[in-house]
């Protein structure tokens, strides 16, 4: 057996994750990986570690030839990208937990890995403790990944769970999440879907070889979901979850988005409650697989960072097989979605945009409809995010272009229109 | 990026899994892996593949220098071990699905891998489509794997699901499983736990570096579970599942067994219904993780074989880190178990073997008790498998030696004995 590479770590950031990692490494002596130096922003803050460990000068880490691994768990995505660039160019491996930084600089980080030959690992950036990136890289290595859908944001899932199980309003549930530390004091990043779409950008890359930017993915958060939506869902025996989804269409292109969705109670994602994350992968022959675990928090995140560090001992690198060895899949908005919309007034709803509407409730104060429309109609306009309108996808919402005429005909027949 | 190794496969066995693999490979051209020859036992049987593909002479595969991968999916474990030995010695990589063969020859297969330097992969041998072996090898690479518990046999899980959800008797449920193809016509291997303990032997090796034989693991099946046990479980808001479990004790040794168990409805394993499998891993920092998927069937099994074949393109080998790089953990029977027992007559129950009994129902025709006894009391005797006695573990059944005195005292206090 080969000898392990000796790892000497330079750590950026000593917040909950950084300190968590420090504690974890102390309790994992067999890993033989030591933190030599920690770079922090605020030297005044009291730290639970010897003062000699800390510096505020990033070059003390980046230019130290003894340090061969940079671990970066800071909040500032501009500074993080700068650190990653310099570290890779200086011949160091990098472990990063900065999902926003990675998602927004994906192509540059891929190019840097190719140019430097260094390893860049980021298991903790998506679903934290669930080893989803490594599994997509190593295990689903074939053309048969039909779809992947996931709950990738624990804060929104916590809020939705409380709205459902304890019938709290959105704002009550958000307050509770904040009190328990599951949501930031500025919750916009979580609640409006920004965090989820960053993670989804990263996972689309490892799942399908897609290189895109979060701005180019259709997404929304849960900010407009109402108690009445939860009541409709319960009536139909559905949960509501914020689901990141990607599905291969018949033409080989991939439909991908992050949107609230009705979830059947038999769907494994309906089992995912509170701050947990979950991933369902459907592949040609393995059928349906489900991965479940904690998606955030200091120890789950530190644990994923730790597993990346452990893999570096064996010089592990992502091979990005779907990108470099296969023909990578292309993202498309050319497909249809079946949606539920609830709204205050019909005047906010451009009914002419729909292929067909197959169910509506217009009497109550809060009205709703279920209908089918082309994805581009949602991408190009924002009416469905405005005027207190709430959009929730139906279960299995993607309709292939090749099926739309047939389905429309059947739906109109069922409605007695033709 | 490195070029892939060209794989030329010799396949042993063309039953449901072998034929499934043949079809899967035809639909995965990007893998660039072709089957050159298939060795079968019965040349008279009609096959859905060209006749020129088949031979009945194993040496046509084992001695062909062009064939660099032997895939072995046959039923006969003696013949399978012979094939594996020769293939590895002849410088070929091996992918095997024969759990019984692997479990019973574990040490020999480990030694062969070290001697020949060849790769031996067996993801399909445990939980089929769930990538549990690869994850245990690659991801939980630290000292912090607290416990692993799993449903590894789909047939028994199907039977238990039907006993619970449709209140079928054991024999009715078994018949249904056989009709649907989820249980063999001779169901003893599944129903009495032999299949599960074979898989558990393999997983204990990858989880903890333990090298043992299935004969040395405490196990039972579900053959003695009665409708009245299901009723008691329902009353206590439990499921009953056949659970394979391993837990690290405070002294660093590992308690491991395969036994029926009460499962709380909040436990992820309670989500595992019908023929599905599931694995829950608890580690120091990742908290609880859950993997779920199909554990048997031609395509799920073929899919796991396929992922091993794909890994061979990159010369992947199990490193058995916990065995060779860490101090491997030792198996022990020196701990206590909290059990539920139902029985027809007190005379079959050696009450003096129990540390304490904390609940009993003696009036009804079918009696039961809940009590604590040392694991050795179950290993050394078979009274709990005889006379129509049914043993089911309670949730979280393992009691550490270091806790027993304290717990006994508290339990007796609660009972008002002291």
């Amino acid at each position: 057996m080969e000898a392990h590479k000796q790892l000497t770590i330079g750590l950026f950031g000593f917040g909950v994750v950084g300190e968590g990692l420090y504690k974890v490494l102390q309790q994992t002596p067999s890993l033989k990986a030591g933190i030599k130096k920690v770079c922090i922003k605020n030297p005044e803050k009291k730290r639970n570690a010897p003062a000699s460990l800390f510096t505020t000068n990033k070059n003390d880490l980046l230019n130290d030839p003894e340090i061969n691994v940079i671990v970066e768990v800071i909040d500032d995505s501009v500074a993080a990208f700068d650190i990653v660039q310099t570290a890779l160019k200086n011949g160091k491996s990098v472990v990063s937990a900065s999902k926003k930084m990675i998602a927004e600089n994906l192509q540059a980080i891929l190019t840097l890995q190719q140019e430097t030959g260094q390893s860049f690992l980021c298991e903790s950036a998506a679903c934290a403790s669930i080893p989803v990136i490594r599994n997509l890289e190593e295990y689903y290595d074939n053309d048969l990944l039909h779809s992947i859908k996931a709950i990738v944001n624990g804060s929104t899932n916590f809020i939705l769970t409380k709205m459902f199980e304890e019938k709290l309003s959105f704002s009550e549930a958000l307050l509770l999440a904040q009190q328990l530390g599951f949501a930031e004091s500025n919750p916009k990043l979580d609640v409006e879907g920004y965090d989820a779409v960053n993670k989804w950008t990263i996972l689309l890359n490892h799942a399908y070889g897609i290189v895109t930017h979060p701005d180019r993915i259709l997404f929304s958060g849960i900010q407009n979901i109402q108690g009445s939506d939860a009541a409709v869902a319960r009536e139909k025996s559905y949960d509501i979850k914020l689901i990141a989804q990607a599905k291969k269409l018949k033409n080989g292109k991939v439909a991908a988005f992050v949107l609230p969705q009705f979830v059947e109670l038999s769907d494994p994602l309906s089992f995912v409650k509170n701050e947990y994350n979950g991933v369902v992968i459907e592949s040609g022959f393995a059928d349906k697989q489900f991965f479940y675990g904690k998606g955030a928090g200091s120890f789950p995140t530190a644990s994923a960072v730790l597993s990346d560090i452990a893999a570096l001992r064996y010089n592990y690198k992502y091979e990005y097989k779907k990108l470099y060895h296969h023909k990578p899949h292309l993202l498309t908005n050319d497909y249809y979605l079946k949606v539920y919309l609830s709204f205050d007034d019909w005047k906010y709803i451009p009914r002419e945009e729909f292929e067909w509407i197959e169910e509506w409730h217009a009497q109550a104060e809060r009205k709703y409809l279920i209908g089918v429309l082309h994805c581009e109609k949602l991408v190009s306009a924002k009416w469905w995010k405005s005027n207190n309108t709430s959009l929730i996808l139906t279960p299995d919402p993607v309709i292939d272009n090749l099926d739309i005429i047939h389905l429309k005909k059947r739906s109109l027949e069922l409605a007695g229109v033709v």
Side-chain angles (χ1 to χ4, degrees), chain A:
Chain A
M1 296 278 157
E2 295 165 48
H4 299 169
K5 190 169 162 184
Q6 177 71 40
L7 303 181
T8 306
I9 296 169
L11 171 64
F12 282 87
F14 206 74
V16 283
V17 176
E19 192 180 335
L21 180 66
Y22 175 73
K23 286 186 193 158
V24 166
L25 279 171
Q26 283 186 316
Q27 289 174 59
T28 320
S30 73
L31 203 58
K32 294 193 179 73
I35 295 179
K36 186 176 177 190
K37 211 82 195 171
V38 182
C39 183
I40 48 170
K41 221 161 63 181
N42 180 359
E44 309 304 322
K45 210 166 147 186
K46 216 176 129 47
R47 315 278 179 178
N48 294 318
S52 61
L53 202 59
F54 296 96
T55 177
T56 55
N57 182 354
K58 64 180 178 180
N59 292 320
D60 288 353
L61 284 61
L62 292 170
N63 292 336
D64 183 339
E66 232 179 76
I67 288 177
N68 51 8
V69 180
I70 293 293
V71 176
E72 170 284 294
V73 291
I74 65 175
D75 250 351
D76 177 340
S77 64
V78 175
F81 182 54
D82 185 52
I83 289 162
V84 166
Q85 275 187 301
T86 311
L88 290 173
K89 285 180 184 164
N90 288 2
K92 301 178 193 310
S93 304
V94 172
V95 177
S96 168
S98 298
K99 41 221 168 222
K100 184 168 185 286
M101 180 275 288
I102 302 167
E104 291 180 349
N105 298 284
L106 190 55
Q107 181 60 67
I109 292 171
L110 288 166
T111 306
L112 272 165
Q113 287 170 78
Q114 289 205 293
E115 284 172 0
T116 64
Q118 294 301 319
S119 178
F120 174 85
L121 304 181
C122 59
E123 189 63 79
S124 64
C127 301
S129 74
I130 306 176
V132 57
I133 293 181
R134 201 90 70 84
N135 274 289
L136 287 171
E137 277 289 316
E138 298 302 313
Y139 200 80
Y140 299 94
D141 178 31
N142 59 47
D143 307 322
L144 300 162
L145 190 69
H146 290 336
S147 74
I148 167 168
K149 59 180 181 173
I151 291 169
V152 297
N153 181 278
S155 313
T156 47
N157 202 58
F158 179 87
I159 292 167
L160 291 171
T161 303
K162 293 299 164 193
M163 287 175 74
F164 249 76
E165 294 195 345
E166 295 168 28
K167 298 191 183 167
L168 300 187
S169 71
F170 173 78
S171 50
E172 290 166 335
L174 172 59
L175 188 65
L176 182 61
Q178 287 175 319
Q179 285 165 345
L180 293 173
F182 294 135
E184 308 294 327
S185 49
N186 172 8
K188 193 180 142 122
L189 281 181
D190 287 325
V191 163
E192 300 189 11
Y194 292 95
D195 177 73
V197 77
N198 285 334
K199 291 168 178 167
W200 205 231
T201 305
I202 299 170
L203 289 182
L204 285 174
N205 182 238
H206 293 281
Y208 285 112
I210 289 167
V211 184
T212 189
H213 188 280
D215 287 350
R216 298 186 51 209
I217 297 173
L218 173 64
F219 79 97
S220 165
I222 62 167
Q223 65 271 23
N224 290 341
I225 292 178
Q226 321 251 327
S228 60
D229 299 329
V232 172
R234 264 191 298 268
E235 219 169 80
K236 294 174 181 288
S237 290
Y238 293 147
D239 264 326
I240 300 175
K241 301 284 186 186
L242 182 62
I243 305 281
Q245 188 162 359
K247 185 175 180 175
K248 199 151 67 175
L249 303 175
K250 288 177 181 167
N251 63 11
K253 293 185 178 173
V254 172
F257 45 81
V258 179
L259 291 167
Q261 188 166 333
F262 288 140
V263 171
E264 287 171 341
L265 300 183
S266 60
D267 188 316
L269 291 182
S270 139
F271 181 80
V272 180
K273 310 270 187 201
N274 295 316
E275 76 275 23
Y276 277 84
N277 284 190
V279 184
V280 174
I281 295 173
E282 285 191 294
S283 66
F285 300 111
D287 203 84
K288 192 179 284 187
Q289 295 184 272
F290 175 46
F291 300 81
Y292 165 95
K294 282 207 171 154
S298 66
F299 281 157
T301 307
S303 147
V305 170
L306 186 77
S307 80
D308 280 346
I309 293 172
L312 286 177
R313 291 187 303 163
Y314 308 97
N315 290 307
Y316 178 73
K317 291 174 197 175
Y318 299 145
E319 291 196 78
Y320 299 98
K321 289 166 198 159
K322 286 120 183 184
L323 176 58
Y324 297 126
H325 298 173
H326 297 246
K327 201 173 154 220
H329 292 284
L330 296 172
L331 213 55
T332 182
N333 288 328
D334 189 13
Y335 60 92
Y336 295 83
L337 285 169
K338 190 165 177 181
V339 308
Y340 157 100
L341 277 169
S342 77
F343 45 92
D344 292 333
D345 196 307
W346 278 100
K347 72 182 178 196
Y348 300 129
I349 306 300
R351 270 175 282 183
E352 67 285 0
E353 306 266 286
F354 284 79
E355 295 302 308
W356 72 87
I357 291 173
E358 61 183 47
E359 185 181 335
W360 60 92
H361 264 253
Q363 302 92 329
E365 200 165 315
R366 184 73 179 172
K367 299 153 189 30
Y368 77 82
L369 68 81
I370 291 174
V372 171
L373 77 182
H374 195 272
C375 174
E376 277 294 353
K377 307 275 186 193
L378 298 177
V379 173
S380 60
K382 292 287 164 271
W383 56 265
W384 55 279
K385 286 189 180 183
S386 324
N387 296 312
N388 204 27
T389 299
S390 159
L391 179 142
I392 300 172
L393 296 179
T394 61
D396 207 6
V398 174
I399 300 176
D400 212 291
N401 276 350
L402 295 170
D403 298 328
I404 191 77
I405 293 172
H406 168 69
L407 281 174
K408 183 172 187 170
K409 188 160 169 284
R410 204 173 61 185
S411 170
L412 294 177
E413 278 167 9
L414 282 174
V417 178
V418 290

